[in-house]
Amino acid sequence: MSQENQKLLIDVGSTYFKISTLDSIEQHFRDFNKDILDDLMNKCGDTVSRFQKDDIYICSSANGGLSALIIGVTNSFSLKYATNIAFNSGINIIDTILYQNIEDYSVPSDIIDVVIIVGGVNSHGGLFSGALYSYLSQLNYSNIVFVGSEQDAPAISKEIEKVVVLPNIIDDRLHIVEQHLKEYLTNLYQQDIEGKEDIKHLYSITANQIFSTPYIVNRALPYISQKFPVADPFILLDIGGATTDIHYSKDLVEDNLTTENEYDRLVFKRLGVYKSRQSLILAAQGNEFVYELLTHLKVTEKIFIDQNEKATRILMQLAIFLVLCKTSHYGQAYVNLKLLSVNSIVFTGGITKVLAIEDIETIIAFFYRKILSSGHRPVAILDSNYDIWTLGAKV
Amino acid sequence: MKVITGVVGNDIHVVANRLIDLSLRARGYEVFNLGVNTHLEEFFDAAVETGAEVLMISSLNGEAEGWGREVKLLKSRYRTLDDLLMMIGGNLVVGSGRTEDIVARYKNYGFDIVCHQVDLNTGLDMLAELLQERGLQ
Ligand code: B12
């Protein structure tokens, strides 16, 4: 047996964890009264103890990512570029602020994990002043980073305590420079995962770095055809307990920023079927097509109150519909995907254990007919054995 | 002196845009070229990000006629662009029209220099003259 075959892969989610060896895959609901490590050892101690620390690989999606607030000077450049980089680093954007109107924005009451300040090419300066500092003095945040004009960096460093200054994300031709901010945000996300007490304990069984699950999934995408007959271009939906992630190839975006990675990712934070069930229902009730969809599925809105397997199944179907809506022209989200060009839709995550392929196909058909007025039907592919995650963990 | 340039709207005629880029650089301007297919908001946003003093818009297929009407309103929403010198050139109408009428119309839209079917070098001379007049060069 080759070394690669002897790996044990563990994924810790918000709702359940799964462990995979060469020949088996197990999934267990988490017991939230227990520490993750205890819970894990309790349920799969035998399997875990068969492996060396070097051969155990763990990833976690348990915390749903970091929150960010972005302050920039224009919509077309600074805010757009920072938003793109933040999304690609797995960050959830709470709000974007157009600096010239900063006095008109209300100050969020939640603690923001990271504030990003951006604006100006390096040959321009003096873009920020007192209004920025007085806004920040009212804001609660854990980290703050400046990625604007290098001429403004000294003043920013002087006025804002603990600000991290990185190279400008806008170059001299007004193009995007991703690398430094992306690295910073990815590291923050990573530190956040590792900083969780629960996760720290897991280092007693692994000698490898613990990564975030979306990072692992994204890493698998270029190799996906090794496992599935996927026709390009495709999108991948990871519908989980607390969040829904959508990964898509760059060709599906109209407004193409030239960045180095092929696949982007977008997180819908409160769109999960277990932990964020209530907000999923709220989102569904706010969608004008959902009642028609419920009728199509032969259920009534009573399903929102039910707490049985059937209700979970319907909610998962709604989650698919809502995500597709959000990324279409109808949704007005950050991206507008060319859904009519999509040839395959790959599904992964908890959803694959609950829905059958027909349950998914009917939603896809309904979405394309109702929202896009089209007979186009991308092929649905179900990753029911967590092959994508296994692939990403092995890369 | 910084100049933003580009072709407005859904216009894809690129040749003049390349020439403008080269000619401006040859005359010593720092150029930010947004290329073809550029929307008005992007022009103004680029001026904010760069602190450019001049905005030089091209229109070859005549689309500017429509966009021109939105210039004043859009520009008024920006707090830092009052001193931006605005220039436009190319084929500024669809079909034909009297140059005096066309120039008057675009001046009314808020442009300082209007070059309908004016050769590029003549246009750039006009810019240099105005900059000098305003004590900017
Ligand atoms: C080549 C060309 C195309 C090519 C463009 C290829 C490309 N990617 O660039 C293709 C075939 C794709 C094309 C398409 C179309 N075209 Co065409 N095209 C031309 C053509 C033949 C030459 C343009 C050119 O490159 N000239 C060379 C450059 C150097 O000259 P210039 O563009 O005139 O620019 C000079 C001046 O205008 C000036 N200038 C330009 N901008 C500025 C700005 C300032 C500030 C200043 C001072 C000066 C200045 O400086 C330049 C050098 O002196 C012209 C006709 C012509 N002979 O001009 C039509 C022309 C521009 N096209 C025209 C039209 C209508 C179209 C289409 C709508 C056709 C259609 N029905 O599909 C489409 C529109 C596509 C779109 N979305 O924009 C019309 C526009 C008419 C109008 N405004 O009333 C023209 C004038 C032809 C005509 N006589 O009808 N076109």
Side-chain angles (χ1 to χ4, degrees), chain A residues 9-68:
Chain A
L9 311 173
I10 303 174
D11 179 44
V12 181
S14 65
T15 316
Y16 42 83
F17 57 78
K18 46 189 185 280
I19 77 171
S20 148
T21 63
L22 179 62
D23 43 28
S24 75
I25 191 142
E26 295 174 45
Q27 174 179 280
H28 301 275
F29 271 93
R30 276 178 58 187
D31 174 352
F32 290 99
N33 299 316
K34 283 206 178 89
D35 174 272
I36 297 176
L37 182 62
D38 291 345
D39 196 13
L40 177 72
M41 293 311 277
N42 219 333
K43 286 164 180 152
C44 343
D46 283 353
T47 314
V48 173
S49 55
R50 290 209 325 264
F51 288 83
Q52 301 285 318
K53 274 175 103 171
D54 280 337
D55 297 325
I56 297 182
Y57 291 82
I58 304 179
C59 63
S60 164
S61 58
N63 60 345
L66 296 178
S67 62

Side-chain angles (χ1 to χ4, degrees), chain B:
Chain B
M1 174 84 39
K2 295 176 192 165
V3 183
I4 307 285
T5 192
V7 186
V8 70
N10 301 303
D11 194 334
I12 51 143
H13 293 91
V14 73
V15 184
N17 175 257
R18 295 276 158 80
L19 288 178
I20 289 172
D21 189 320
L22 291 171
S23 307
L24 282 169
R25 285 178 206 277
R27 289 180 180 229
Y29 295 97
E30 185 180 345
V31 183
F32 296 90
N33 187 358
L34 305 181
V36 295
N37 252 323
T38 301
H39 289 250
L40 270 187
E41 189 184 6
E42 294 173 292
F43 281 112
F44 291 131
D45 281 355
V48 172
E49 300 278 4
T50 59
E53 291 90 347
V54 180
L55 174 55
M56 183 177 292
I57 297 179
S58 283
S59 178
L60 289 315
N61 66 13
E63 258 188 72
E65 235 186 337
W67 295 105
R69 295 190 193 102
E70 293 174 29
V71 165
K72 267 192 184 152
L73 178 65
L74 187 60
K75 186 163 170 246
S76 71
R77 299 203 191 115
Y78 289 77
R79 306 223 170 138
T80 53
L81 298 183
D82 292 347
D83 297 330
L84 183 66
L85 196 155
M86 306 246 296
M87 176 167 184
I88 191 163
N91 305 313
L92 298 183
V93 285
V94 177
S96 55
R98 280 184 41 207
T99 301
E100 303 93 87
D101 297 344
I102 296 168
V103 172
R105 189 182 318 149
Y106 277 84
K107 290 229 159 155
N108 194 29
Y109 290 155
F111 289 93
D112 303 289
I113 304 175
V114 181
C115 299
H116 174 61
Q117 293 176 349
V118 171
D119 146 80
L120 180 54
N121 273 316
T122 311
L124 295 185
D125 289 344
M126 289 162 78
L127 172 64
E129 236 166 76
L130 186 65
L131 287 172
Q132 215 152 33
E133 235 169 73
R134 294 197 179 174
L136 292 166
Q137 209 174 43

